[in-house]
Amino acid sequence: MRSEPPPDPGRFTQQIQALERDLHVTLVERSPRSVVLTPAGEVLLQHAHVLLARAERARDEVRSVGPL
């Protein structure tokens, strides 16, 4: 398992804003004290969970074929 550096909040915000521009939707409602997913953000999150689970299963299946 790789050790990853902690996420950069500024970079994360930029990525979310880029997704919002690309999708033409608001994914999160921002206030000075909180960030809450919009309905569109909830839908995207559900799909992200599915995709990540599929990627993990694919990785495991490929690794089970055998070593290099």
Side-chain angles (χ1 to χ4, degrees):
M1 189 171 192
R2 295 184 314 202
S3 175
E4 297 183 18
D8 174 8
R11 179 73 178 133
F12 181 73
T13 297
Q14 290 172 350
Q15 290 174 329
I16 296 297
Q17 289 171 338
L19 264 174
E20 289 176 326
R21 284 190 303 273
D22 183 54
L23 298 171
H24 304 284
V25 297
T26 300
L27 297 170
V28 294
E29 291 292 335
R30 299 159 180 89
S31 75
R33 293 182 173 219
S34 68
V35 175
V36 178
L37 289 174
T38 64
E42 292 282 354
V43 169
L44 183 60
L45 180 61
Q46 291 171 6
H47 283 283
H49 283 300
V50 170
L51 291 171
L52 290 170
R54 287 181 182 173
E56 187 173 333
R57 283 195 306 268
R59 184 189 66 216
D60 293 345
E61 189 175 328
V62 168
R63 286 181 176 167
S64 73
V65 172
L68 296 175

